[in-house]
Amino acid sequence: TIYPNGLGVQSFVDVPGISMGYCGGSRPGHFKGVATVVTKLFNLVQPDYACFGEKDFQQLKLIEKLVQQNALPIVIHACPSIRLKNGISYSSRFKNFSTHEKKILDNAAKFIYEHLIELKHNVTSIILDKLKKNLLEVGVNKIDYLEVRNEKELSFASLYEKYRLFVAFYIGNIRVIDNFALHYKVKNKK
């Protein structure tokens, strides 16, 4: 419906800044496509509200910025991730995991949650490096990113109070993405 004559030659919507790095860095052009399709959908439907999941937090922030920079009269609702028993955000791709790969995911989740407790008190590169090492030891093939950023703009700025751990890694050929709220307070500077 959105593309009755196929994709053809068209203009694209770009949301610079927020689309860089993370999934945007691993998948060049992905967020330009997301922004374009969502803009077309918003123009067709003209919703008052739209719900986007926190699982893909970068995409959520991109949509929020898209709405803001274009002054669209739409309220974006962030929906919490649906989590498996092991704590990882659900993905339909996980049905393709073998029994062995499911065990790797469970072990990876265990280490992530162990390190989350530490990261909620103090974010250090030592903790992140230890987590990377643990993930690779349990059978994760490749880690795209494992970083702590603020929730507002996904930057390294140190004055924000709300932070998240962002992680993307491969088990077999399946890419797992997730993020976890840390939300600790930064001490006031005197």
Side-chain angles (χ1 to χ4, degrees):
T1 302
I2 293 176
Y3 300 103
N5 301 318
L7 291 174
V9 177
Q10 63 176 352
S11 60
F12 287 95
V13 176
D14 195 12
V15 183
I18 202 84
S19 62
M20 305 304 289
Y22 299 112
C23 289
S26 298
R27 303 170 69 192
H30 171 69
F31 285 122
K32 189 182 282 189
V34 168
T36 302
V37 170
V38 170
T39 299
K40 286 181 180 269
L41 184 63
F42 283 169
N43 286 335
L44 285 171
V45 176
Q46 297 185 357
D48 295 319
Y49 304 95
C51 300
F52 287 84
E54 289 182 348
K55 179 182 181 215
D56 190 337
F57 204 79
Q58 185 178 14
Q59 178 174 284
L60 168 64
K61 290 300 174 184
L62 176 116
I63 300 302
E64 288 175 348
K65 190 170 182 181
L66 172 80
V67 166
Q68 177 193 22
Q69 76 183 17
N70 291 293
L72 299 175
I74 302 169
V75 176
I76 302 298
H77 289 285
C79 301
S81 296
I82 297 169
R83 297 198 174 271
L84 301 171
K85 288 180 185 177
N86 64 16
I88 296 291
S89 292
Y90 172 77
S91 172
S92 60
R93 290 181 237 153
F94 295 168
K95 70 179 184 254
N96 297 321
F97 278 151
S98 68
T99 303
H100 175 67
E101 289 169 332
K102 287 177 186 174
K103 180 117 174 105
I104 292 171
L105 182 66
D106 287 341
N107 288 330
K110 178 182 143 233
F111 280 117
I112 289 170
Y113 271 89
E114 284 177 10
H115 292 301
L116 276 178
I117 294 166
E118 295 176 72
L119 289 168
K120 284 183 180 186
H121 298 290
N122 189 23
V123 175
T124 68
S125 60
I126 294 169
I127 297 170
L128 293 173
D129 289 344
K130 190 172 153 187
L131 177 53
K132 285 178 187 176
K133 182 179 180 231
N134 292 149
L135 291 175
L136 294 170
E137 286 173 348
V138 298
V140 166
N141 300 24
K142 174 187 168 192
I143 299 172
D144 271 353
Y145 54 81
L146 188 121
E147 295 179 0
V148 175
R149 299 279 184 118
N150 74 54
E151 287 187 357
K152 186 175 180 185
E153 298 166 344
L154 308 183
S155 69
F156 285 119
S158 61
L159 299 177
Y160 291 95
E161 295 180 335
K162 292 187 176 184
Y163 286 83
R164 285 183 181 257
L165 170 67
F166 292 90
V167 60
F169 57 84
Y170 284 87
I171 296 175
N173 62 355
I174 297 173
R175 189 166 187 262
V176 177
I177 66 166
D178 212 338
N179 65 87
F180 304 87
L182 298 174
H183 295 216
Y184 66 90
K185 299 273 184 190
V186 175
K187 293 180 183 176
N188 292 331
K189 291 185 175 184
K190 291 186 178 187

